[in-house]
Amino acid sequence: MASQIIKKLHLIITAAILIFMVILAFLSEGYYGGADNITHYLISRYAFEYPSLFLNAWGRPLYTIVSAPFAQFGLMGAKILNILLGILTAWFAFRIVKDSEIRPAWPVLVFVCFTPVYFMMMPTALTEILFSFLVVLFIFLFLRKNYIAAAVTISFLPFARTEGFVL
């Protein structure tokens, strides 16, 4: 029985972090990121009514496209999207560590999600979480020698954050 729990520890930790972050998002009265947080949400929220917002450079087009359906449920919808993207980022980081045969691999789930600034940004509507997800997904695909998919993934970085042009 204990060996089964150890084998599934990464799933238990991932589920626990997801539940914790969603509860935190619902119970939190404030948000991190100030006006940027609200502006990204509003651009996503009204993009279907004003389609030019999908191409708004300040709003980050890729973030707007991905978050617009979630933003229809309010700021909480945008927060849930970022929480899901943060969990997926941690999951792909876990897979990278596991594929690299570093044992134990599960601590990376905690390290990614509870890095102080990342932890503060997960329940927001900021674009940094999508950016980090694309970077980690790129590394995952590249290490798996899926070069075409990795190149396509990394090509979307500038549309998630302007800093993507540097990478």
Side-chain angles (χ1 to χ4, degrees), residues 1-160:
M1 181 70 163
S3 66
Q4 290 290 352
I5 292 174
I6 300 272
K7 283 184 178 180
K8 302 294 182 190
L9 186 59
H10 62 283
L11 295 174
I12 295 167
I13 291 171
T14 303
I17 293 171
L18 176 62
I19 291 166
F20 173 72
M21 292 303 293
V22 169
I23 290 171
L24 183 69
F26 276 101
L27 295 180
S28 176
E29 293 180 13
Y31 51 84
Y32 179 81
D36 287 2
N37 185 29
I38 299 302
T39 305
H40 283 296
Y41 157 69
L42 290 174
I43 288 172
S44 298
R45 168 68 178 85
Y46 292 103
F48 290 119
E49 292 178 44
Y50 304 97
S52 64
L53 291 175
F54 281 113
L55 300 175
N56 184 294
W58 191 90
R60 312 302 190 256
L62 182 63
Y63 180 79
T64 304
I65 290 168
V66 172
S67 66
F70 289 86
Q72 302 312 304
F73 297 100
L75 181 59
M76 188 55 63
K79 288 180 175 185
I80 297 298
L81 168 67
N82 268 7
I83 290 169
L84 292 173
L85 286 171
I87 295 292
L88 283 172
T89 303
W91 181 258
F92 280 111
F94 165 77
R95 294 295 308 272
I96 291 167
V97 170
K98 186 177 176 187
D99 291 350
S100 300
E101 298 180 2
I102 298 171
R103 301 289 183 252
W106 64 264
V108 76
L109 295 165
V110 176
F111 294 156
V112 169
C113 292
F114 292 101
T115 299
V117 174
Y118 200 77
F119 174 76
M120 294 294 292
M121 286 188 172
M122 275 178 67
T124 67
L126 296 172
T127 61
E128 284 82 356
I129 303 299
L130 176 62
F131 186 84
S132 68
F133 170 72
L134 290 173
V135 170
V136 172
L137 180 60
F138 161 74
I139 294 167
F140 174 77
L141 293 169
F142 185 83
L143 292 175
R144 290 219 161 177
K145 298 183 179 5
N146 196 341
Y147 300 121
I148 301 292
V152 169
T153 300
I154 201 88
S155 72
F156 282 106
L157 274 183
F159 302 106

